[in-house]
Amino acid sequence: MVKLIIDTDPGIDDAMAIFYAAAAPDIELLGLTTIFGNVTTKIATRNALRLLEAVDLELPVAEGAAAPLSLPPFAPSAQVHGAEGFGDIPAATPKGQPVAEEAADFLIRMAREHKGELVLCPIGPLTNIALAIQRDPDFARNVKSIVIMGGSLREGGNITPHAEANIYHDPHAADVVFAAGARLVMVGLDVTHRILCTPDDFASIAGQSPELGGMLQEMSAFYLAFYETVGKLDGCSLHDPAAVIACTHPDLFEVETLPMRVSCSGETSGATLEAEVGTRKPTAVCIHVDAPAVKSLFLKRLALLP
Ligand code: BDR
Ligand code: CA
């Protein structure tokens, strides 16, 4: 059983990842922390609470940073995820509230309380994780691992020709994380671009899980339409679910172990690059994936939901 916290900017594929984690029998979800990216941090918090209520889980949601470490704030990615984060599904107010503790402090405390056991899966920009590292010198040692959805080794970018969106939205934070010495796994575009879900796949999820699968199918229409606008007609990538699956099924991913750094300026800003050997502890960078196995796990487990 993996003890997991997801740091998230929900977000359509974030919603898929959180529903997957709620359904997975090998994951003990301990809470969510929120960050800007697909939406503002405030909307991310509201959406995170709403997703947990949908899957009937009473768990803490800790709100994170409102802006990157050094860069000015970016506009949310409304063209990909819709103005409220869930495509065309209108905003709804959750019943619950976030906890009083801010995300970085919540992460620090949880990493101490579950020392050596906590797996952290950031599926948005890495600001909260960098703040936790900067505030607590033991944080990187206390977590079991940090499995990042972000970056790209050889695949090129998705928000610029060089950068993947999560890293691009706070490159300084990502560089702090790659330099921290924690056990890191990078689940980037090299693998997530290989794992595609089609309208038929979402229809099959909705057929078996009418309520929650149906909600994902409704959201996915907006996401799939965006993919079509950028010439990707064979489905949408399961970016965030792939990272959550990598937390429990590392065997489905082939890695290269490399020290990594992040470009923080100029036209390559947000690019994840190999650092000089010996300058930082290596990251397990996913370069190949058993895409049919990841997808089948995703479809099979979502079907368990109501
Ligand atoms: C990442 O960026 C966001 O749009 C997605 O939710 C995912 O986390 C993919 O580049
Ligand atoms: Ca995300």
Side-chain angles (χ1 to χ4, degrees):
M1 191 73 123
V2 170
K3 290 188 181 198
L4 188 72
I5 294 181
I6 301 178
D7 183 77
T8 175
D9 59 338
I12 295 172
D13 61 325
D14 300 73
M16 295 174 193
I18 291 164
F19 280 6
Y20 173 86
D26 44 11
I27 291 177
E28 184 190 352
L29 191 61
L30 299 182
L32 301 177
T33 51
T34 64
I35 192 63
F36 59 85
N38 297 329
V39 289
T40 63
T41 304
K42 279 267 167 273
I43 294 184
T45 303
R46 187 202 64 193
N47 288 354
L49 287 162
R50 189 169 162 222
L51 291 170
L52 289 181
E53 286 172 12
V55 290
D56 217 6
L57 281 179
E58 263 187 56
L59 293 173
V61 173
E63 184 160 281
L69 287 190
S70 305
L71 297 178
F74 288 91
S77 306
Q79 72 288 6
V80 189
H81 296 269
E84 301 282 349
F86 292 158
D88 287 325
I89 299 189
T93 311
K95 293 188 212 84
Q97 292 288 328
V99 295
E101 211 171 14
E102 76 174 82
D105 295 331
F106 174 78
L107 291 172
I108 289 169
R109 183 171 61 77
M110 294 300 273
R112 267 190 209 137
E113 285 177 11
H114 301 276
K115 197 173 168 161
E117 286 188 297
L118 179 68
V119 176
L120 188 55
C121 186
I123 56 176
L126 291 165
T127 321
N128 294 331
I129 321 304
L131 289 171
I133 289 165
Q134 289 175 336
R135 285 180 199 174
D136 178 6
D138 293 331
F139 182 75
R141 262 193 309 277
N142 286 348
V143 290
K144 181 175 184 193
S145 61
I146 305 177
V147 181
I148 300 164
M149 191 288 122
S152 170
L153 187 64
R154 302 192 181 106
E155 178 70 6
N158 61 354
I159 194 161
T160 74
H162 304 279
E164 181 281 327
N166 288 340
I167 305 296
Y168 181 76
H169 284 136
D170 197 345
H172 300 88
D175 199 55
V176 167
V177 175
F178 282 118
R183 203 164 153 237
L184 296 180
V185 181
M186 180 177 118
V187 183
L189 302 180
D190 305 275
V191 289
T192 64
H193 274 173
R194 312 275 99 76
I195 313 163
L196 299 175
C197 233
T198 64
D200 284 350
D201 294 322
F202 288 108
S204 124
I205 295 171
Q208 298 177 75
S209 160
E211 191 192 321
L212 301 179
M215 190 172 159
L216 291 184
Q217 184 191 23
E218 214 181 321
M219 290 181 195
S220 71
F222 192 96
Y223 200 48
L224 287 157
F226 166 78
Y227 271 79
E228 283 186 18
T229 64
V230 292
K232 296 192 171 170
L233 307 176
D234 44 0
C236 61
S237 289
L238 295 182
H239 298 291
D240 293 345
V244 172
I245 290 172
C247 296
T248 53
H249 291 72
D251 47 308
L252 299 180
F253 298 81
E254 195 184 306
V255 302
E256 266 179 42
T257 307
L258 303 166
M260 297 298 290
R261 67 182 177 90
V262 180
S263 164
C264 291
S265 62
E267 67 168 40
T268 61
S269 183
T272 43
L273 307 165
E274 267 189 73
E276 223 176 286
V277 177
T279 55
R280 352 186 111 177
K281 190 168 162 187
T283 293
V285 179
C286 296
I287 46 148
H288 293 298
V289 58
D290 183 344
V294 169
K295 187 167 153 182
S296 122
L297 207 53
F298 177 72
L299 297 178
K300 200 169 75 192
R301 289 182 164 181
L302 283 179
L304 300 172
L305 292 170

